[in-house]
Amino acid sequence: MNNVFVYCEIEEGQVADVSLELLTKGRKLADDLKCELEAIVIGHELKGVEKQVMPFGVDKVWIADDKRLYPYTTLPHTSILVKLFEEEKPQIALMGATSIGRDLGPRVSSALHSGLTADCTSLVIGDHEDKKNKKEYKDLLYQIRPAFGGNIVATIINPDCRPQMATVREGVMKKEIVSDAYKGKVKNIDVEKYVKPEDFVIKVIERHMEKSKVNIKNAGIIVAGGYGVGSKENFALLTELAEVIGGEVGASRAAVDAGFASHERQIGQTGVTVRPKLYIACGISGQIQHTAGMEESAMVIAINTDKNAPINAFADYVITGDIATVLPKMIKQYKENTK
Ligand code: FAD
């Protein structure tokens, strides 16, 4: 009872990365709360799916396997989660801030009157003192996320209702296996008892999956460009450098808004979160909404005409200069010195 639950998304038999990241965070929260971590997988042909999640420290996996449950539709997944949460009374329930999580989370929290914090960037356990009502709360979930256009970082708590629900975007949390040998229990959900016939009024007739060729999330090296790059044509310099050093091209929102790069390359609060070994920030000022998506890069090189640009405070190496002169030199040097 009162465990930490993670709803796991599944696509073509694979548990989504965001769900595995949430299991990693869920394990940490469960350890802090001295309770168990439980995963829920809803879909079809899920035989053996527990092997994908248990290594992340899952103590119990709830599996709802039925032809009608894949691909995802709102109503049956909502019915299963609502009933399961009413029975099991989790203290915390997490899901990805994906199209599915953003559809499912509010429905479940609304049915349970629990509240939900969307797009959290951090989740930790802490206490709270309500001085006005002279009440003390122990072991609440601090749901931390940027608010008011990113100008403040808000810590949101839900002292009274359960579960404490939060969504988190892909890439924000780390994904870490506890042990390949971690053993949890499997509980099969009797689907008929959890859904109603009217939950299946919507039928998915056809699906078309657009697969992106851009993979900045897992790139070891990122050459990212900002508004200071100046034009789409100038971005070609970044592409050339990225090709020479085996990296991917990323962008700030200002660069994306200006049409220099596509949205899928945007890094930051409303883009992708990355953790490359090397991040080369070209003509990027380093506003908090951008750095939120790259601050865990192992090494940062900033190239900027402004020696006082905020990105320089993050950078391990600062090159003060115009990208139009610095980048060709870097490309030339790498070409000459790389075997
Ligand atoms: P600027 O701030 O205009 O900086 C350009 C930099 O280029 C300057 O430092 C300048 O000195 C330098 N420069 C100019 N010319 C050259 C040159 N020739 N050579 C070298 N350097 C040069 N931003 C994101 O990036 N990602 C997000 O996900 C994101 N989400 C947001 C969400 C919200 C709710 C809000 C309100 C904002 C968000 N933003 C985001 C926008 C963010 O606040 C900044 O506006 C944006 O990051 C600025 O982009 P930039 O650094 O490329 O441009």
Side-chain angles (χ1 to χ4, degrees), residues 70-291:
Y70 183 85
Y72 168 87
T73 51
T74 310
L75 297 177
H77 282 236
T78 303
S79 290
I80 292 171
L81 282 196
V82 169
K83 196 162 166 26
L84 186 67
F85 288 174
E86 280 170 350
E87 289 168 1
E88 298 298 314
K89 302 190 178 4
Q91 53 177 316
I92 292 173
L94 308 175
M95 55 184 76
T98 57
S99 347
I100 290 179
R102 285 179 179 156
D103 179 58
L104 183 62
R107 288 206 178 231
V108 174
S109 75
S110 159
L112 298 171
H113 304 285
S114 68
L116 176 147
T117 306
D119 282 359
C120 292
T121 49
S122 176
L123 297 168
V124 287
I125 302 299
D127 301 334
H128 174 64
E129 187 187 351
D130 179 351
K131 287 189 181 136
K132 197 168 151 217
N133 297 308
K134 295 196 173 68
K135 270 178 142 179
E136 282 199 21
Y137 297 89
K138 289 259 169 245
D139 292 338
L140 292 177
L141 180 67
Y142 286 1
Q143 300 151 50
I144 300 164
R145 55 154 297 159
F148 295 107
N151 292 316
I152 62 159
V153 176
T155 298
I156 297 163
I157 51 162
N158 176 359
D160 299 316
C161 304
R162 294 291 176 271
Q164 301 164 89
M165 287 187 69
T167 66
V168 178
R169 291 155 58 119
E170 182 174 340
V172 172
M173 312 253 154
K174 280 189 189 148
K175 183 175 88 177
E176 259 166 21
I177 283 178
V178 172
S179 157
D180 282 325
Y182 199 94
K183 278 271 163 288
K185 287 184 210 138
V186 175
K187 291 277 268 184
N188 289 307
I189 293 175
D190 183 351
V191 176
E192 289 310 328
K193 287 192 184 147
Y194 282 69
V195 295
K196 308 177 276 301
E198 57 270 30
D199 285 339
F200 298 102
V201 285
I202 291 169
K203 298 237 177 319
V204 178
I205 295 162
E206 199 186 318
R207 297 177 85 209
H208 174 72
M209 301 281 282
E210 206 57 54
K211 283 232 163 80
S212 168
K213 290 194 191 82
V214 178
N215 184 14
I216 52 169
K217 198 190 140 212
N218 296 315
I221 299 176
I222 294 176
V223 183
Y227 193 67
V229 172
S231 68
K232 198 171 179 173
E233 291 65 45
N234 288 356
F235 249 75
L237 274 177
L238 278 73
T239 310
E240 197 182 343
L241 177 61
E243 275 169 13
V244 174
I245 58 178
E248 272 282 357
V249 174
S252 73
R253 179 156 144 183
V256 171
D257 288 349
F260 303 167
S262 58
H263 177 68
E264 58 197 346
R265 296 192 186 274
Q266 184 178 315
I267 292 162
Q269 185 191 323
T270 43
V272 184
T273 303
V274 295
R275 290 187 185 81
K277 289 195 190 91
L278 175 63
Y279 191 89
I280 307 180
C282 310
I284 293 178
S285 58
Q287 301 304 311
I288 184 174
Q289 296 89 354
H290 184 78
T291 53

